[in-house]
Amino acid sequence: MGKTKHGGPMRLPKTPKPGLWVSPVPLGLGKVKPHHIMETAKTVWRNRDNLPYAWRILTQGVCDGCALGVSGLRDRTLTGPHLCTTRLNLLRLNTAPAIPDDILTADTDELRRMSSAELRELGRLPYPMIRERGERRFRRVSWDEAMDRIADKFRAVDPKQAAFYLTARGLTNETYYMAAKTARFLGTNHIDNASRICHSPSKTALKRSIGIGASSCSYTDWIGTDVLVFWGSVAANNQPVSTKYMYAAKRQGTKIIVINPYREPAMDGYWIPSIPESALFGTKLADDWYQVNIGGDIDFMNGVMKHWFEMEKREPGSALDLAFISKHVNGLEELRAHVAGLDWDDIERGSGLSRERIAEFAELLARARSGVFVWSMGLTQHRFGTDNVTQVVNLALLRGFLGRAKCGLMPIRGHSGVQGSSEMGADPFSLPGGDFDPETIARIEKLWGFDIPKWQGDIVGVTLENALLPDDHERRLRLFYTSGGNFLETMPNPDRIRQSLENIELRVHQDIILNTSMLADAREAVILLPAKTRYEQEGGGTSTSTERMVYFSPEIRGPRIGEAREEWRIFLDLARRVKPEEAARSMKAESADEIRAEIALAAPNYDGIQHLRKQGDFFQWGGAWLCEGGVCPTPDGRGRLIPIASPGIRRAAGAFLATTRRGKQFNSMVYGSVDPFNGALREDVLMSPEDAAELGIADGEAVVVHNRFGRFYGRLRTAPVARGNLELFWPEGNVLFPSGVYEPHAGIPEYNTEVKVEQADVFYARKDRKYRTKEAEVPEEDGLPAGAAGAGAQPCRTE
């Protein structure tokens, strides 16, 4: 933990800097770009029936979108107002009226014809509902009937056959904490959260290398650092307010480097609406791009280190911070020997970059006195995601970019609630304030006053797979309780996921809106429970940003929806119904204030949360920098360099490496059919012009992208993508990814694969002749065979 406190928001310069302009043409006329004024007008129109409440949410509440931590219209990074289209798009979830009764009780087949976007537009869930097996409609039930039915099922099943999942949908720390406590109180460790499919490898890698599970620095460290590197992260699209931080950084001379297979237009140039100069003429963000192959980051970073060690041979200290390493880092010689044994031809082939380009980046970092590395799903959503992030940490340790101003490691979160989820214990590998280890278990048992089950819980992917186990299996999933989430649109192989959902006996969906997964059948019944938003939560709630700021969001005066309840209160009610006598002793919290007081005791880093009570209250756990001065919270206080082998990805002749990207959306919630940054449609397949020419496919032609896992029918669109790679939109492209393939350390599903691309008419002609293609096998990874995870299989944890 660090002692230095955050310095507070910084001011932007007022004089313009034409050298950063994208174009002298005002407002980007004629260019493909977001139209912020139009988007704002649309938001006003959509919320016209509730504008005063919408305004109070924007000006008083903490943003329920990305994890930058905008409170009201302010944050702790820059002075001035902050507002983005992501937050505006989400606003209607909070101001929408209740779904009309006749729609809620419509024939399920009618609802199934709607997309998730159309279901979302129907409005809010107003009261509990149930649909029994064989019934074609949901019917309204009382809270008592719904909760008693769920409680009865909990008492009827083995705890290993019940599981909880919590999304990051605006959930508060109070909700995560109460869900984690309830799950353990009911005897199950099967509880997981949305970080499993985004940043679980980040936490795992950071903990094994430097002993922390969160960003080591603050957003203000971007501003004025010598080099700011984005690895597989399109912050301008996913966290739009961050473009203001990038603008401020550019004004102080920071070089911004992007490492990504696709040259994302949003990171090339952005029209920042709240900065007049940028709103008119745009701002050039990225100074350079390194277009690695999909899955080529490990090879690329091994090449960087290989060049550094060659520099060190010629001139010690020319590339590595030897004083920092000597004082604070272990494993240098092992890493040096590993890298020395690598072949440059293999590095170039794996990374997709030349030795010269790799050396260029290596020397840029070697000259930098400070650096901040930011990454997202481009690094984590691989079956070797933990190793990807570990390589980033290796680079930072070798250069001493840790524990001081303008330096750090930042896994940038895509949702406002998810940083706190594992820290509150809503995770099979965590408890509040620690890992799932004997010491933490004993500490939490003493605080909670009941025994915690000692067996290892499953990650959510394995939990869903367990629904397909034989009926007599001890881990066969029979009861699944999910707060938010839509696995049909977030997990690979949606058909397999539907099978799993429909094979569960009782499914409980606690949410604010309808989504497609709620309409899947169940063996016994599906129950819908209406939840309040964070702005409706009695006593307010807190959330933790990427930079570890814990913000208080007050209850906001406005309309309330039907019988919706606070989510933490629903979990507490369930615990009391299942075990009333024990709950009377151990589940005593009656208010959000009491939960926060308990969190402060359970999670030592959160000591201070008990004092957050009004709008604007916040604190940053751990100080401005974790590992301050280079001292890590590891047993010996030192960071650990870990040699990482190449994943050895090789494409079959004529095949491509495929991954996914986001468009006009927030996580899986799609808000438009056209990507505002490149004009692509959701069905477009992005491919380099050179690859398209080789295939003889023109822009706009229908194509089939296929492998042994599935088929995607779309249109080809040429774009600046690294050769041999292609990108599709998420979640539409999930049909191509294998189910049951998980990263061995953190358990994230695999979201990358090898595919073939053909013109649609050619594909169908060959199909008619019973043409078959033998696709490349997905390699086994640390004992996890492709397409299967054994009953109760778990990713290994590295302490």
Side-chain angles (χ1 to χ4, degrees):
M1 300 299 106
K3 295 181 180 179
T4 302
K5 300 298 182 183
H6 193 281
M10 305 169 69
R11 292 186 178 275
L12 285 171
K14 294 182 179 180
T15 56
K17 190 170 184 179
L20 294 179
W21 292 358
V22 175
S23 169
V25 179
L27 301 175
L29 294 175
K31 292 185 176 293
V32 178
K33 59 178 285 292
H35 300 286
H36 295 108
I37 295 175
M38 185 184 300
E39 289 295 318
T40 302
K42 287 180 180 178
T43 298
V44 172
W45 178 253
R46 292 178 68 220
N47 293 276
R48 63 191 181 279
D49 58 347
N50 227 339
L51 279 177
Y53 183 45
W55 180 247
R56 289 194 294 274
I57 288 172
L58 292 177
T59 56
Q60 298 174 23
V62 174
C63 176
D64 57 347
C66 73
L68 297 186
V70 178
S71 177
L73 296 176
R74 310 280 169 171
D75 67 10
R76 304 301 302 167
T77 304
L78 292 171
T79 58
H82 310 303
L83 188 61
C84 71
T85 53
T86 295
R87 190 175 182 191
L88 292 176
N89 284 332
L90 291 172
L91 185 58
R92 189 56 177 168
L93 296 179
N94 300 288
T95 66
I99 303 173
D101 291 352
D102 60 331
I103 294 177
L104 267 177
T105 56
D107 189 296
T108 308
D109 286 342
E110 291 181 30
L111 295 173
R112 285 173 178 159
R113 283 192 280 270
M114 297 184 182
S115 67
S116 279
E118 292 169 327
L119 291 171
R120 189 167 64 240
E121 290 299 315
L122 296 177
R124 293 274 301 277
L125 289 170
Y127 41 72
M129 303 194 75
I130 191 169
R131 184 167 67 89
E132 305 280 358
R133 180 179 182 179
E135 292 183 345
R136 298 174 61 87
R137 304 170 189 272
F138 282 96
R139 62 178 173 85
R140 182 174 182 174
V141 293
S142 68
W143 271 102
D144 282 340
E145 183 178 348
M147 297 304 291
D148 284 343
R149 177 72 176 269
I150 301 167
D152 288 344
K153 189 64 176 179
F154 263 104
R155 284 190 291 267
V157 303
D158 186 292
K160 292 181 180 179
Q161 298 175 323
F164 289 88
Y165 174 81
L166 291 93
T167 185
R169 172 200 29 83
L171 298 192
T172 60
N173 290 322
E174 292 81 356
T175 294
Y176 286 123
Y177 180 82
M178 189 55 70
K181 185 176 182 181
T182 297
R184 271 54 184 245
F185 178 76
L186 298 180
T188 185
N189 286 321
H190 297 326
I191 180 169
D192 211 348
N193 65 77
S195 70
R196 188 64 52 210
I197 55 177
C198 58
H199 270 297
S200 54
S202 299
K203 177 182 176 182
T204 306
L206 288 168
K207 287 190 74 89
R208 77 176 181 176
S209 292
I210 54 177
I212 64 175
S215 170
S216 74
C217 59
S218 303
Y219 290 120
T220 50
D221 291 306
W222 292 17
I223 302 168
T225 186
D226 285 352
V227 61
L228 174 60
V229 184
F230 289 92
W231 305 79
S233 171
V234 189
N237 190 5
N238 299 319
Q239 297 92 2
V241 169
S242 71
T243 56
K244 293 186 72 171
Y245 312 161
M246 293 183 228
Y247 172 88
K250 297 285 288 186
R251 292 301 303 263
Q252 290 200 21
T254 296
K255 284 191 177 297
I256 296 179
I257 308 298
V258 181
I259 299 165
N260 202 56
Y262 174 44
R263 186 169 179 135
E264 288 277 358
M267 294 295 286
D268 233 349
Y270 197 92
W271 282 256
I272 306 168
S274 56
I275 300 176
E277 173 193 22
S278 183
L280 282 171
F281 305 112
T283 300
K284 297 174 185 175
L285 297 179
D287 291 281
D288 204 353
W289 292 78
Y290 291 84
Q291 290 182 258
V292 296
N293 282 334
I294 294 166
D297 301 274
I298 288 173
D299 291 301
F300 174 56
M301 288 183 266
N302 273 332
V304 170
M305 290 185 283
K306 189 173 181 69
H307 186 78
W308 281 351
F309 286 124
E310 291 169 356
M311 291 173 65
E312 287 294 310
K313 281 184 181 179
R314 298 190 296 269
E315 183 183 350
S318 61
L320 308 185
D321 187 334
L322 297 176
F324 180 88
I325 294 169
S326 174
K327 191 174 182 181
H328 299 296
V329 181
N330 296 326
L332 178 63
E333 294 312 315
E334 293 87 343
L335 181 62
R336 191 197 307 268
H338 165 71
V339 171
L342 301 176
D343 184 81
W344 271 113
D345 288 341
D346 292 335
I347 289 172
E348 289 179 309
R349 185 166 48 249
S351 67
L353 295 167
S354 68
R355 180 173 178 175
E356 290 72 27
R357 280 290 279 162
I358 295 171
E360 188 179 302
F361 179 68
E363 290 175 15
L364 170 68
L365 293 183
R367 292 191 300 269
R369 295 160 300 174
S370 58
V372 176
F373 297 157
V374 180
W375 68 90
S376 194
M377 268 65 84
L379 284 189
T380 60
Q381 286 187 330
H382 293 265
R383 65 179 185 276
F384 41 85
T386 297
D387 286 347
N388 275 339
V389 177
T390 298
Q391 283 283 73
V392 177
V393 182
N394 283 341
L395 296 186
L397 289 175
L398 290 172
R399 289 293 302 131
F401 292 165
L402 183 69
R404 58 188 174 93
K406 312 306 175 187
C407 293
L409 295 157
M410 179 177 285
I412 191 167
R413 294 289 193 173
H415 206 296
S416 63
V418 75
Q419 179 63 45
S421 57
S422 296
E423 293 167 349
M424 296 296 103
D427 182 295
F429 305 135
S430 302
L431 287 169
D435 293 332
F436 192 77
D437 56 56
E439 181 180 347
T440 306
I441 290 172
R443 179 175 62 82
I444 296 298
E445 284 182 336
K446 184 177 180 181
L447 175 67
W448 284 351
F450 59 83
D451 291 339
I452 293 172
K454 307 303 187 292
W455 47 271
Q456 177 60 60
D458 288 335
I459 59 172
V460 68
V462 172
T463 291
L464 291 168
E465 295 269 333
N466 287 350
L468 301 175
L469 291 171
D471 286 351
D472 60 352
H473 196 286
E474 68 166 358
R475 287 196 182 223
R476 188 219 182 287
L477 183 62
R478 297 173 61 192
L479 169 56
F480 190 43
Y481 193 121
T482 175
S483 172
N486 185 354
F487 296 105
L488 291 178
E489 298 183 15
T490 55
M491 295 290 279
N493 197 340
D495 288 342
R496 175 81 166 178
I497 294 299
R498 182 177 293 278
Q499 268 187 290
S500 295
L501 292 176
E502 295 190 337
N503 213 40
I504 298 168
E505 292 171 7
L506 180 64
R507 283 203 331 273
V508 182
H509 295 265
Q510 180 174 298
D511 213 327
I512 61 176
I513 55 173
L514 281 173
N515 68 48
T516 54
S517 67
M518 297 175 178
L519 306 177
D521 293 330
R523 277 193 173 191
E524 292 179 4
V526 178
I527 294 177
L528 309 183
L529 300 179
K532 288 184 176 180
T533 69
R534 65 167 55 178
Y535 309 118
E536 299 162 353
Q537 183 171 300
E538 183 182 343
T542 61
S543 60
T544 308
S545 74
T546 289
E547 59 181 348
R548 296 170 280 103
M549 292 280 186
V550 184
Y551 291 96
F552 179 79
S553 189
E555 180 183 3
I556 296 174
R557 177 176 53 85
R560 295 296 180 258
I561 298 297
E563 300 174 14
R565 292 183 177 180
E566 289 86 0
E567 299 207 51
W568 65 261
R569 200 179 294 278
I570 302 172
F571 288 118
L572 181 60
D573 182 23
L574 176 62
R576 290 172 172 175
R577 288 174 190 262
V578 177
K579 299 180 180 180
E581 293 183 5
E582 294 176 44
R585 297 189 298 271
S586 304
M587 308 291 287
K588 297 179 179 179
E590 297 293 347
S591 68
D593 278 338
E594 289 182 38
I595 296 174
R596 288 189 283 273
E598 193 172 313
I599 291 172
L601 298 174
N605 287 342
Y606 278 75
D607 187 12
I609 195 173
Q610 69 273 33
H611 305 306
L612 307 184
R613 290 191 175 89
K614 64 182 186 300
Q615 180 186 341
D617 284 354
F618 76 96
F619 73 96
Q620 183 181 35
W621 71 258
W625 312 301
L626 300 184
C627 306
E628 186 167 353
V631 180
C632 299
T634 55
D636 61 0
R638 298 168 68 90
R640 177 187 174 201
L641 294 168
I642 302 175
I644 301 296
S646 168
I649 295 176
R650 298 290 182 267
R651 289 186 293 116
F656 291 83
L657 300 175
T659 193
T660 57
R661 64 182 299 278
R662 274 61 166 170
K664 185 176 174 57
Q665 64 193 99
F666 179 70
N667 293 336
S668 64
M669 292 190 292
V670 177
Y671 284 98
S673 59
V674 179
D675 188 323
F677 293 104
N678 62 10
L681 302 177
R682 303 293 303 185
E683 65 268 22
D684 283 351
V685 179
L686 305 185
M687 178 187 289
S688 75
E690 297 83 1
D691 285 336
E694 277 193 7
L695 293 176
I697 307 176
D699 256 316
E701 284 196 299
V703 295
V704 179
V705 184
H706 62 97
N707 59 16
R708 64 191 177 92
F709 307 118
R711 296 174 189 163
F712 179 87
Y713 305 94
R715 302 187 316 167
L716 185 131
R717 186 181 186 91
T718 55
V721 179
R723 292 207 63 181
N725 300 264
L726 59 84
E727 302 215 357
L728 307 97
F729 283 92
W730 186 88
E732 289 87 348
N734 286 353
V735 295
L736 294 167
F737 303 130
S739 58
V741 179
Y742 304 107
E743 201 272 351
H745 303 289
I748 197 168
E750 172 67 278
Y751 285 94
N752 306 273
T753 191
E754 185 176 284
V755 299
K756 291 188 177 178
V757 181
E758 297 182 85
Q759 286 176 305
D761 55 353
V762 172
F763 174 83
Y764 286 118
R766 292 180 177 179
K767 182 173 179 289
D768 289 343
R769 296 199 303 268
K770 297 184 179 179
Y771 171 79
R772 293 178 62 85
T773 301
K774 183 179 180 182
E775 307 294 350
E777 296 291 320
V778 176
E780 293 191 5
E781 186 73 18
D782 287 3
L784 283 177
Q794 288 301 316
C796 303
R797 286 200 298 160
T798 302
E799 303 299 337

